[in-house]
Amino acid sequence: MSGGDKLDFEIRPNPAPVSATDRAALLANPGFGRVFTDHMVTIRYADGKGWYDARVEARGPIPMDPASAVLHYAQEIFEGMKAYRATDGGVTMFRPYANATRFNRSAARMAMPALPEQTFVDSLHRLIEIDREWIPEGDEGSLYLRPFMFASEVFLGVRPANEYLYVVIASPVGAYFAGGVKPVTVWVSPDYTRAAPGGTGAAKCGGNYAASLAAQAEAAEHGCEQVVFLDAVERRYVDELGGMNVFFVYDDGSVATPPLTGTILPGITRESVLTLATAAGHRVEERPVSFADWQADAVSGRLREVFACGTAAVITPIGQVRFPNGEFSIGGGEPGTVTMALRQQLADLQRGKAADPHNWVHRVL
């Protein structure tokens, strides 16, 4: 198959798919990221040839040479989104073209080739169509889609690779945090930072997440579900959590979130929340929020709610903040009304339960 912007996918059904009985047992309690569907998508790229050999095939191991460039120079990016069972029995996705755009921004930062946005979305369609029965029922259930790309050229040398492999896998999931929607406790890291100006903070690449793991482990040691990173320059301002953006809700109804300055991942959910909060009449600001102000405003009562957001966890309230010299609570430790209203709005949009004035919901089936 020759390269180009429009690719035809060769369909190779899995000859030994999981039985309906076994699939139902797995879907009863899938957890998050531990159960996978029967198929995957693969597309190859080579300089001078472009994208080619698009397939839907049985999910399985990827043969890899020990000198594959990704293993040595970490040219790798990924995305995350979900497919939902709609109320009418169909299947929807939420803003997949926004994910396609961000995927290519990440590719540019990591010196990787762009994948045509329509090919990106088509790859999701093909996988959902063949593995539709893996989408869980229920309000917390969805099919998590993980498109990723890595340098597959076999060579040792510090330069952009000439060959890449794009893959999509899918995982039926329930709630991201055990116990459903309840306020989480976060740890403000005193030593670790996530990203610095001029770095890869705005790219969705694996290295950013690897760099957060030691801090996340530190958070767990202090009884926290997530870590909060401060800026790498002054160590004063809130950047984001280990894998989510953060929002602050004040007593006057205003909503604030740290601005995108190149060190924060531009979340699709973050952008959606900004739009929904504005439409609901809140004054919304993208501005620096210092940790000192976060603490002072929480103690005084000016700060009423804090929540984190992202594709995996959607919107999650933050109830307690811990740091080396102490801790403080927000809003009495209960989910806030603004937080839960925005969460419900997003959930209704994603599953086709509400009108969609923004044309965010993408119909798959």
Side-chain angles (χ1 to χ4, degrees), residues 263-278:
T263 63
I264 295 175
L265 183 73
I268 310 302
T269 308
R270 175 189 181 276
E271 183 184 346
S272 303
V273 167
L274 289 171
T275 300
L276 293 176
T278 300

Side-chain angles (χ1 to χ4, degrees), residues 50-303:
W51 293 100
Y52 69 100
D53 196 15
R55 301 179 187 177
V56 179
E57 57 189 333
R59 181 186 177 276
I62 300 170
M64 182 175 290
D65 190 284
S68 295
V70 66
L71 299 177
H72 304 272
Y73 310 110
Q75 267 191 296
E76 181 271 348
I77 59 172
F78 66 96
E79 273 297 325
M81 65 209 71
K82 292 176 178 177
Y84 306 88
R85 286 192 183 274
T87 53
D88 62 2
V91 178
T92 60
M93 284 191 291
F94 188 70
R95 306 188 65 185
Y97 285 95
N99 289 96
T101 298
R102 187 173 66 180
F103 189 76
N104 282 335
R105 286 201 301 263
S106 296
R109 179 62 184 86
M110 303 301 288
M112 302 170 78
L115 179 72
E117 290 189 4
Q118 191 59 53
T119 299
F120 179 96
V121 175
D122 287 347
S123 72
L124 306 175
H125 274 240
R126 300 292 87 77
L127 187 57
I128 292 167
E129 287 164 0
I130 199 167
D131 281 340
R132 175 179 182 169
E133 296 305 316
W134 282 94
I135 305 176
E137 304 279 358
D139 288 342
E140 290 294 330
S142 58
L143 186 65
Y144 186 81
L145 299 158
R146 171 51 60 86
F148 61 99
M149 175 169 57
F150 64 88
S152 57
E153 184 183 1
V154 178
F155 85 103
L156 297 179
V158 183
R159 62 162 173 79
N162 293 319
E163 297 174 8
Y164 297 86
L165 182 64
Y166 169 80
V167 184
V168 189
I169 56 176
S171 173
V173 299
Y176 185 74
F177 289 111
V181 184
K182 61 181 182 180
V184 298
T185 301
V186 298
W187 170 255
V188 179
S189 177
D191 301 313
Y192 297 103
T193 60
R194 178 184 174 273
T200 60
K204 199 167 177 65
C205 60
N208 290 340
Y209 294 81
S212 75
L213 297 181
Q216 184 62 45
E218 183 180 68
E221 291 172 1
H222 288 84
C224 300
E225 289 92 346
Q226 273 285 322
V227 62
V228 176
F229 290 106
L230 303 181
D231 74 286
V233 178
E234 298 186 55
R235 305 291 182 94
R236 291 179 55 202
Y237 297 101
V238 178
D239 260 7
E240 64 173 279
L241 277 66
M244 293 178 281
N245 299 119
V246 62
F247 280 81
F248 303 86
V249 183
Y250 296 91
D251 57 1
D252 62 356
S254 63
V255 177
T257 192
L260 300 178
T261 58
T263 63
I264 295 175
L265 183 73
I268 310 302
T269 308
R270 175 189 181 276
E271 183 184 346
S272 303
V273 167
L274 289 171
T275 300
L276 293 176
T278 300
H282 297 280
R283 179 167 57 86
V284 178
E285 297 178 291
E286 294 180 74
R287 61 172 174 82
V289 176
S290 72
F291 176 61
D293 285 345
W294 182 358
Q295 182 179 7
D297 290 341
V299 172
S300 72
R302 177 173 179 257
L303 180 66

